Amino acid sequence: MVKVKITRDCAIKSKHYGAGDMAELIKKYRDLLIAIGKAVAHDGKPEPKMMKKEKK
């Protein structure tokens, strides 16, 4: 079982997941959702913050 972050609403095996939810799925479903753009891999690290570059 692997964790993914859902990016768009979807249903997996009759269970609904909303955008932003975390789901624990088997690798087959993870690969399918990532391929169609409805999920991204989640490794447990927080998302990086966007920082502005300073001008020199």
Side-chain angles (χ1 to χ4, degrees):
M1 300 289 267
V2 291
K3 289 187 178 182
V4 295
K5 183 174 183 179
I6 306 296
T7 57
R8 297 188 329 200
D9 293 350
C10 62
I12 305 163
K13 295 195 79 164
S14 302
K15 186 172 180 185
H16 181 264
Y17 295 95
D21 290 346
M22 297 297 298
E24 193 167 337
L25 308 169
I26 60 174
K27 289 182 182 182
K28 174 184 171 184
Y29 293 130
R30 179 203 61 183
D31 294 340
L32 289 172
L33 289 175
I34 291 174
I36 61 175
K38 291 198 174 199
V40 294
H42 179 74
D43 56 359
K45 296 179 183 175
E47 296 180 13
K49 294 182 181 178
M50 297 299 292
M51 299 182 76
K52 293 182 180 179
K53 293 183 178 178
E54 294 181 20
K55 292 184 179 179
K56 291 185 178 181

